[in-house]
């Protein structure tokens, strides 16, 4: 029973820092420099970079499929907004990256009163470069370029400190647990 619960936990959330014995997650791993500047327009159309969205101690970056058509992503984005004060209390800004255009994320941000930066990456270029593209969708499919649901916590030195990657688009990490893990880092 305990073994099956542990296996389920490790397969649902790959917290690379814990070394659950799971195979390495795709994309940048914990302890390495985050390899992308995140140069993309935000919900106002302003080009933002990793440096410009960095908080006092770092940033939590949510890679989601779409704020426009994915209900699981929409729920996670709203949940991140509900937890925004807690992230900021830890010195972390919150940013999301989706394959939506500026118009779609602007509409979602306004409708949901989102108070953090949302970045538009309609071609999924950032996901492709990071290696976090959901590979179940082949070239030519409407969903090509979407990421596996991924959350990175990156410190001011651009080092990946926490990583949560979900095996399916239907699951997301518990943000209370993410906040506990981030607080334990003492950034």
């Amino acid at each position: 029973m305990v073994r099956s619960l542990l296996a389920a936990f490790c397969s649902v959330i790959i917290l690379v820092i814990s070394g659950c014995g799971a195979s390495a997650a795709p994309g940048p791993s914990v302890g390495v420099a985050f390899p992308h500047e995140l140069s993309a327009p935000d919900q106002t159309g302003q080009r933002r970079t990793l440096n410009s969205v960095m908080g006092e101690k770092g940033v939590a970056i949510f890679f989601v499929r779409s704020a426009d058509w994915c209900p699981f992503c929409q729920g996670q984005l709203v949940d991140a907004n509900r937890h925004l004060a807690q992230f900021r209390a830890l010195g972390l800004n919150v940013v999301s990256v989706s394959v939506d255009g500026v118009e779609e994320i602007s509409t979602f941000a306004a409708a949901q009163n989102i108070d953090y930066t949302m970045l538009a990456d309609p071609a999924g270029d950032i996901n492709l470069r990071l290696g976090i593209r959901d590979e179940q969708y082949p070239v030519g499919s409407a969903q090509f370029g979407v990421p596996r649901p991924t959350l990175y916590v990156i410190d001011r030195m651009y080092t990946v400190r926490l990583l949560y990657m979900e095996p399916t688009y239907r699951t997301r990490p518990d943000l209370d647990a993410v906040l506990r893990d981030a607080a334990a880092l003492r950034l």
Side-chain angles (χ1 to χ4, degrees), residues 25-29 32 130-132 152 163 165:
S29 59
V32 303
L130 290 174
I132 61 171
Y152 286 101
L163 165 61
M165 183 173 281

Side-chain angles (χ1 to χ4, degrees), residues 37-42 44-49 52-53 119-120 126:
E37 68 174 4
L38 293 185
S39 182
D42 67 12
T44 69
Q46 178 183 349
R47 184 150 297 275
R48 305 298 293 268
T49 64
S52 72
V53 297
L119 298 178
I126 296 171

Side-chain angles (χ1 to χ4, degrees), residues 53-60 83-95 152-156 161-162 178-179 181-183 185 187:
V53 297
M54 189 66 67
E56 177 187 333
K57 295 186 179 181
V59 63
H83 287 83
L84 187 58
Q86 294 165 281
F87 278 103
R88 288 183 174 161
L90 294 174
L92 299 170
N93 273 348
V94 170
V95 176
Y152 286 101
V153 174
I154 300 167
D155 67 20
R156 293 279 311 166
R161 299 297 300 274
L162 295 173
V178 170
L179 286 160
D181 293 342
L185 291 173
L187 297 171

